């Protein structure tokens, strides 16, 4: 991994709750990319306080805008000289504007992965690296209230596993893994109350709350721990990491293919 070299990272989708506080890295160089200026600037201020000024940059960017996303990667490499770690984390929960949900949660993860490979893969003459694509435990559940969100998270797993196989077979020098958290204590969970997000599925909001009570809500620190494991374990490629309150960090296993 790039960890021993201290990064540099690009983190797409900053998360309002300050996940970076929980990353345990000695030195950090990171570009935080987010649509939301307030969130991004707060994140950068936290990083400045933790690691010293000049180690992070906030780039305001809508990941669904292809040229802007390409520029964000280029600016990161211009700033830090290289790229080692890419986290495709930006995501929304919107069943009303479901086409936007596909753009953010799936299309942008695909674009982010391809751009990451352009900057890290040996195929492009680069030095290698690590990619984490963020899916969800929603991909393993019956979620009648979130059909499109669920579809995008299935898609992220399928895309990531296929790309991980391609990376291994063609020796990209890049490991690509997927992370599937259960409920995490972030602003995303509050979208369940909003008709603007849920459309007709808002009627299930009390069911959601019951699910959260039943399964519990994770703290972001455990997601950071899972990410660190995916980044630092050189044996992991195409892994599907699940994080739940009941089982903590563990991996999904697939049956071997039979003819
Ligand atoms: N919170 C949960 O319960 C939960 C559970 C499983 C998976 N996830 C996934 O984790 C990831 C992070 O979600 P979160 O819970 O931190 O949500 P969040 O809403 O707190 O953070 C998401 C971040 O993505 C940014 N973002 C949204 N659309 C963007 C766009 N078009 N361009 C750039 N940035 C954009 C937002 O501004 C925000 O900072 C998402 O992929 C989400 O689906 C969340
Ligand atoms: C039940 C759906 C609630 C929808 C709330 C809004 C957005 C949240 C999206 C998350 O990605 C939800 C992720 C997964 C569901 C959570 C828990 C499953 C726990 C399974 C277990 O502990 O075994």
């Amino acid at each position: 991994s790039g960890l021993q070299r201290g990064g540099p990272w690009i983190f797409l989708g900053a998360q309002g709750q300050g996940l970076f506080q929980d990353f345990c890295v000695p030195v950090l160089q990171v570009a935080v990319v987010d649509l939301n200026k307030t969130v991004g600037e707060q994140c950068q201020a936290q990083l400045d306080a933790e690691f010293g000024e000049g180690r992070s940059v906030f780039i305001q960017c809508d990941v669904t805008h292809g040229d802007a996303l390409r520029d964000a990667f280029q600016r990161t490499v211009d700033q830090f000289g290289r790229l080692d770690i890419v986290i495709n984390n930006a995501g929304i929960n919107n069943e009303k504007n479901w086409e936007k949900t596909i753009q953010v949660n799936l299309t942008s993860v695909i674009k982010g992965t391809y751009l990451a490979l352009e900057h890290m893969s040996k195929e492009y003459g680069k030095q290698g690296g690590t990619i984490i694509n963020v899916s969800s435990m929603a991909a393993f559940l019956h979620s009648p209230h979130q059909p499109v969100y669920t579809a995008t998270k299935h898609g992220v797993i399928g895309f990531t596993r296929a790309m991980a196989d391609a990376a291994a077979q063609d020796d990209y020098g890049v490991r690509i893994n997927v992370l599937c958290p259960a409920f995490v204590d972030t602003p995303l969970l509050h979208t369940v109350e909003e008709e603007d997000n849920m459309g007709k599925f808002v009627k299930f909001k009390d069911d959601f709350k019951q699910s959260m009570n039943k399964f519990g809500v994770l703290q972001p620190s455990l997601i950071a721990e899972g990410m660190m494991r995916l980044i630092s374990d050189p044996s992991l490629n195409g892994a599907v990491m699940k994080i739940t309150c009941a089982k903590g960090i563990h991996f999904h296993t697939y049956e071997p293919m039979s003819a």
Side-chain angles (χ1 to χ4, degrees):
S1 83
L3 210 54
Q4 291 74 16
R5 297 188 293 265
W9 302 38
I10 184 167
F11 200 105
L12 302 149
Q15 294 197 106
Q17 83 287 8
L19 189 59
F20 273 103
Q21 284 168 343
D22 297 310
F23 282 117
C24 175
V25 283
V27 189
L28 187 81
Q29 289 177 302
V30 63
V32 172
V33 176
D34 204 285
L35 180 63
N36 185 321
K37 193 162 182 264
T38 310
V39 163
E41 286 177 349
Q42 275 172 359
C43 192
Q44 181 168 7
Q46 281 171 1
L47 288 164
D48 284 351
E50 184 91 2
F51 297 101
E53 287 187 18
R55 297 203 162 275
S56 66
V57 59
F58 165 55
I59 302 172
Q60 189 179 16
C61 164
D62 183 335
V63 295
T64 66
H65 292 178
D67 289 344
L69 187 59
R70 177 169 286 280
D71 286 351
F73 273 81
Q74 191 57 54
R75 275 184 63 189
T76 306
V77 173
D78 291 347
Q79 170 109 3
F80 299 121
R82 60 190 281 157
L83 187 59
D84 287 345
I85 301 166
V86 175
I87 317 282
N88 283 305
N89 179 64
I92 60 171
N93 175 46
N94 196 320
E95 295 297 326
K96 198 164 181 180
N97 190 354
W98 57 265
E99 285 161 313
K100 184 77 180 175
T101 299
I102 295 173
Q103 285 171 9
V104 177
N105 292 11
L106 182 57
T107 309
S108 300
V109 169
I110 295 171
K111 283 186 185 162
T113 302
Y114 286 158
L115 284 164
L117 291 172
E118 284 183 32
H119 287 284
M120 301 193 304
S121 171
K122 289 183 189 170
E123 279 205 313
Y124 293 88
K126 302 299 186 327
Q127 76 291 338
T130 307
I131 302 170
I132 300 176
N133 291 334
V134 177
S135 173
S136 165
M137 279 300 291
F140 294 98
L141 301 171
H142 290 280
S143 300
H145 21 62
Q146 278 187 302
V148 175
Y149 181 89
T150 301
T152 63
K153 296 304 186 181
H154 271 268
V156 169
I157 293 176
F159 170 73
T160 304
R161 294 181 73 225
M163 284 308 301
D165 286 347
Q169 285 180 27
D170 282 346
D171 192 24
Y172 293 178
V174 177
R175 296 183 297 103
I176 314 176
N177 295 295
V178 63
L179 179 67
C180 303
F183 298 121
V184 193
D185 187 11
T186 75
L188 186 100
L189 281 189
H190 303 296
T191 59
V192 75
E193 309 264 2
E194 307 296 331
E195 198 275 336
D196 265 0
N197 289 83
M198 300 305 295
K200 67 178 181 180
F201 302 108
V202 75
K203 69 176 181 184
F204 290 116
K205 69 178 173 190
D206 291 334
D207 294 352
F208 287 159
K209 288 180 192 157
Q210 278 172 16
S211 286
M212 287 177 210
N213 287 336
K214 181 176 168 195
F215 292 118
V217 177
L218 297 159
Q219 286 308 303
S221 55
L222 198 59
I223 311 307
E225 193 181 321
M227 286 183 178
M228 291 306 293
R229 245 167 93 176
L230 290 174
I231 289 165
S232 44
D233 183 342
S235 71
L236 296 176
N237 182 49
V240 179
M241 176 183 277
K242 294 166 151 179
I243 309 185
T244 64
C245 291
K247 292 190 181 169
I249 296 172
H250 59 293
F251 291 90
H252 188 72
T253 52
Y254 290 87
E255 301 229 337
M257 290 259 283
S258 55

